[in-house]
């Protein structure tokens, strides 16, 4: 889907386009955190899976009839507009250094660095996403519905952060400097939660709100880096590889934060792990070399 967007949006729009796509994540988690608790109480967790799965099935039907790979294939855009967009995208491709094949792309140090960076970032994100309700329930000592309501707060802030950061990134035509500062901030906020948990739930939770918003904020600029660094013939495979490393990081983060919570009986060790992971992810972005433009 990220590669699909590169065929529809130019560099000046790419960070925002990515953000509107990825925004589906925090927006859905935000309101479903509230709703899911009530659905489970009403119909049980098994039926909840069915109810929450139906919208994606219905959307698949809409997608089939509306979405097309390229502008010239869509009936809802004029041929003149499609030609203008394709010309602009071709001009952008002409400025990107050539890469003959995927094997050559995988030898690029930037690609290796992006894989490691997204792995670490995902350790923090998915440790946060999957274990936040448990952390809130233990600290807040309320029922599942109230826990869901409180757990939604960080995602509300994340939505605003993503929109603002992507807009600024496109306006400045800059990506790297709209990624690393927010990940460093997220790492510092997790460390603040580590220091304050056990003393005040609400202070620790404020730090979690900051961490959640800061971790989500740079997604749009980050996923604009690869199609602007590598030509179209390899950008898809590289994006898939980076995403795959993120999937491995999400597994490790989900498992490790849960393990540490069970082993220690509290959330502190999990905070420390997420803090270290996203801080390293942010710092690694500073090592990324900007490709020379042709």
């Amino acid at each position: 889907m990220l590669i699909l967007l590169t065929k529809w949006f130019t560099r000046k729009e790419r960070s925002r386009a990515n953000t509107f796509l990825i925004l589906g994540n925090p927006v859905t988690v935000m309101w479903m955190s509230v709703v899911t608790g009530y659905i489970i109480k009403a119909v049980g967790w098994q039926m909840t899976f069915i109810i929450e799965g139906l919208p994606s099935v219905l959307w698949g039907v809409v997608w089939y009839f509306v979405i097309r790979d390229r502008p010239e294939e869509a009936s809802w855009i004029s041929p003149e507009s499609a030609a203008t967009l394709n010309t602009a995208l071709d001009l952008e491709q002409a400025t990107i250094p050539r890469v003959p094949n995927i094997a050559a792309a995988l030898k690029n140090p930037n690609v290796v660095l992006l894989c490691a960076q997204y792995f670490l970032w995902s350790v923090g994100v998915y440790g946060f996403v999957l274990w936040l309700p448990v952390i809130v329930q233990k600290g807040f000592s309320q029922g599942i519905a109230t826990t869901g309501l409180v757990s939604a707060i960080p995602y509300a802030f994340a939505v605003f952060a993503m929109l603002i950061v992507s807009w600024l990134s496109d306006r400045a035509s800059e990506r790297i400097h709209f990624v690393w500062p927010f990940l460093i901030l997220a790492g510092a906020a997790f460390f603040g939660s580590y220091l304050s948990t056990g003393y005040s739930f609400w202070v620790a939770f404020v730090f979690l709100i900051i961490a959640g918003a800061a971790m989500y904020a740079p997604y749009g600029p980050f996923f604009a880096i690869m199609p602007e660094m590598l030509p179209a013939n390899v950008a898809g495979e590289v994006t898939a590889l980076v995403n795959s490393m993120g999937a491995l990081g999400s597994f490790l983060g989900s498992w490790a934060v849960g393990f540490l919570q069970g082993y220690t009986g509290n959330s502190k060790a999990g905070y420390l792990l997420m803090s270290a992971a996203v801080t390293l992810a942010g710092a690694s972005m500073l090592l990324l070399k900007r490709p020379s433009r042709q």
Side-chain angles (χ1 to χ4, degrees):
M1 291 175 70
L2 288 162
I3 291 304
L4 175 65
L5 293 184
T6 65
K7 300 174 183 178
W8 281 92
F9 295 94
T10 64
R11 179 181 173 87
K12 292 181 180 179
E13 309 164 310
R14 193 162 290 134
S15 181
R16 284 170 291 166
N18 290 342
T19 292
F20 279 117
L21 169 63
I22 301 168
L23 208 59
N25 186 314
V27 167
T28 305
V29 174
M30 178 177 65
W31 71 272
M32 289 308 296
S33 293
V34 179
V35 173
T36 298
Y38 291 101
I39 298 176
I40 290 173
K41 288 180 70 175
V43 299
W45 65 266
Q46 296 95 332
M47 185 58 67
T48 298
F49 274 124
I50 295 173
I51 293 171
E52 294 186 355
L54 282 175
S56 63
V57 177
L58 297 175
W59 184 249
V61 177
V62 176
W63 178 275
Y64 180 81
F65 287 105
V66 175
I67 304 300
R68 295 293 178 266
D69 285 331
R70 294 175 178 80
E72 64 270 21
E73 298 173 1
S75 60
W76 41 267
I77 184 172
S78 69
E80 294 79 12
S81 294
T84 301
L85 177 55
N86 282 329
T87 299
L89 293 173
D90 289 341
L91 288 171
E92 287 183 3
Q93 283 293 306
T95 68
I96 300 174
R98 300 293 90 194
V99 178
N101 50 50
I102 187 62
L106 295 180
K107 295 176 184 177
N108 187 326
N110 279 352
V111 173
V112 177
L113 191 64
L114 286 169
C115 287
Q117 190 271 352
Y118 197 51
F119 176 88
L120 292 166
W121 185 357
S122 297
V123 168
V125 169
Y126 285 91
F128 176 85
V129 169
L130 290 183
W131 290 100
L132 178 64
V134 176
I135 292 168
V136 169
Q137 192 170 35
K138 284 191 173 183
F140 196 43
S141 301
Q142 296 292 323
I144 189 170
T146 306
T147 296
L149 183 62
V150 175
S151 299
I153 296 173
Y155 299 102
F157 283 88
V159 168
F160 287 107
M162 289 176 72
L163 290 170
I164 292 168
V165 170
S166 64
W167 179 78
L168 291 172
S169 174
D170 278 342
R171 187 177 182 185
S173 294
E174 173 61 50
R175 308 304 182 202
I176 296 172
H177 293 313
F178 285 94
V179 177
W180 70 263
F182 292 96
L183 296 181
I184 298 292
L185 174 61
F190 275 130
F191 191 68
S193 290
Y194 166 76
L195 294 176
S196 55
T197 190
Y199 299 100
S200 169
F201 166 76
W202 289 110
V203 172
F205 186 66
V206 168
F207 278 120
L208 286 180
I209 292 173
I210 297 170
M215 277 195 303
Y216 272 98
Y219 268 116
F222 176 77
F223 280 108
I225 291 173
M226 283 157 281
E228 294 172 6
M229 178 182 72
L230 297 163
N233 65 309
V234 296
E237 290 92 335
V238 169
T239 302
L241 177 64
V242 172
N243 260 317
S244 298
M245 294 305 295
L248 288 175
S250 69
F251 164 76
L252 178 63
S254 305
W255 176 82
V257 172
F259 172 79
L260 291 171
Q261 182 141 324
Y263 185 77
T264 63
N266 59 62
S267 306
K268 294 190 71 169
Y271 291 148
L272 201 57
L273 171 67
M274 291 186 285
S275 174
V278 295
T279 299
L280 286 172
S284 67
M285 289 297 293
L286 295 172
L287 303 176
L288 205 65
K289 295 181 179 178
R290 297 173 182 273
S292 58
R293 296 275 163 187
Q294 291 182 351

